[in-house]
Amino acid sequence: MNRLWPAVSRAVARVTDSALGPYQTAVLRIGVALTWLLFLLREYPHRQELYGPDSPWSWDLAAQLVGANDAFTVLLWSDSQVWFEAVYALAVLFSLLLLLGWRTRTMTALFMVGVLSLQNRSVFMGDGGDNVLHLMAIYLLFTRCGQVWSLDARRARRAARARARGERTHDAVGPALWAVLGVVLLLGSLAGRTDGDWFILALLWAVWLGQAGWWLAGRLARTDQPRILLDVVGNVAHNGALLVIMAEACLIYATAGWYKVQGSRWQDGTAVHYPLHLEYFSPWPSLAGLLTASGTLVMLVTYVTVVVQVAFPFTLFNRRVKNVLLGFMILEHAVIAVVLGLPFFSLAMIAADAVFLPTSFLCRAGRLAARARGRLRPRGDAVPVPPPRRPDGPPGRPSAVGPAQAAPVTDGVPGPRT
């Protein structure tokens, strides 16, 4: 018992003191937002047939289905063409802003609204990748996915530097955005437009009230205790959502693997052969023919796929084995994107897999990306330092002893309150 309570205390402190996996959730945010953004842009010429007035699943049929299953979608608030175009354009905008990490807490809520609105309008247009995006859009709402690699993190660093210099910082965009969205949410609630899915409505109101409480705790509270309490609540919600995301990814692979085990084509090692010869999944017939030319290769890929999917949840207890299988699955999804022509399904699965990537690998990748960006676009905010003067030089004329270099600025990771 003497050893149990300190261990429990350390575990509770770890869960409440900080938001775990900041780099993993940032990659998940970027991957999910990028996948949905690319999908919306790719399908822009066909948006009318997918989700608009020209869809085979008409507005009346969608209204009847939503009335029966209480799904959430703002596209059924009006059947006008202007409303549809506005919702589609806003979905593209919210995806881009979430990708950049601008006002991440608000953008996760608006991104979720955009995903659910379009997908629930035409539920028969989706596939497995859309289901993953559907779930991850909801889970992201509970995470603090803007701590790193976001415009929010950069703004927090700049505000911290300004406070260190004794300057006062004032954010007018956040309260204005909060007020506008509050009016929209209130009008939608009073008009009865959100009577379908009460869970989504409760989430939106919880986020709105949480933002208000955070702002009031920072402005009106005389002590740091209210802000610390809200910080703890946010950390617990983030860590719980991260655990759910990891469990969801394991559940996807485990169920897929065990269902494959029961299939006769997976048992005899020929299952991979058939989708590669379907016209719908063969954008590169010659490449598919090359891959299926060897029966031994087809059998190995079939069996290895099943083994990896079934074994992956159990490898989480061994970091090295987990990383090997994770790399294989990411490679497999990349091959599926090219060979079977399913890029968005593969991107969605790779984004979900990113929560298992090692932090050291992500930090190293971030440093390499920052170094490459610095080489391609030199920073223009560095003020050149004049060269030192020689004591014996002519007055008023500096002589260069060596090239002047500005001291590099090291950006630290923002605190858990970001």
Side-chain angles (χ1 to χ4, degrees), residues 235-318:
N235 291 336
V236 172
H238 168 94
N239 296 329
L242 182 60
L243 179 62
V244 171
I245 292 171
M246 298 173 70
E248 185 72 38
C250 291
L251 184 62
I252 291 173
Y253 284 117
T255 53
W258 285 109
Y259 273 111
K260 287 181 175 66
V261 169
Q262 303 174 36
S264 59
R265 294 295 177 264
W266 291 95
Q267 293 175 6
D268 59 26
T270 61
V272 174
H273 172 84
Y274 297 99
L276 292 175
H277 288 279
L278 293 176
E279 183 179 359
Y280 185 77
F281 295 108
S282 298
W284 316 99
S286 58
L287 180 59
L290 179 64
L291 294 176
T292 56
S294 173
T296 304
L297 178 61
V298 171
M299 182 184 66
L300 288 176
V301 172
T302 302
Y303 287 153
V304 170
T305 299
V306 175
V307 171
V308 169
Q309 291 184 349
V310 172
F312 178 74
F314 303 99
T315 62
L316 298 180
F317 302 100
N318 190 302

Side-chain angles (χ1 to χ4, degrees), residues 143-192:
T143 64
R144 311 181 79 168
C145 54
Q147 296 182 101
V148 296
W149 297 341
S150 65
L151 295 179
D152 288 346
R154 187 181 67 172
R155 186 176 68 253
R157 290 194 297 266
R158 291 181 174 178
R161 293 169 187 166
R163 289 192 296 268
R165 295 191 300 265
E167 302 175 1
R168 298 184 60 183
T169 59
H170 179 67
D171 182 19
V173 178
L177 184 63
W178 171 83
V180 171
L181 294 179
V183 171
V184 174
L185 186 58
L186 180 61
L187 293 178
S189 301
L190 294 178

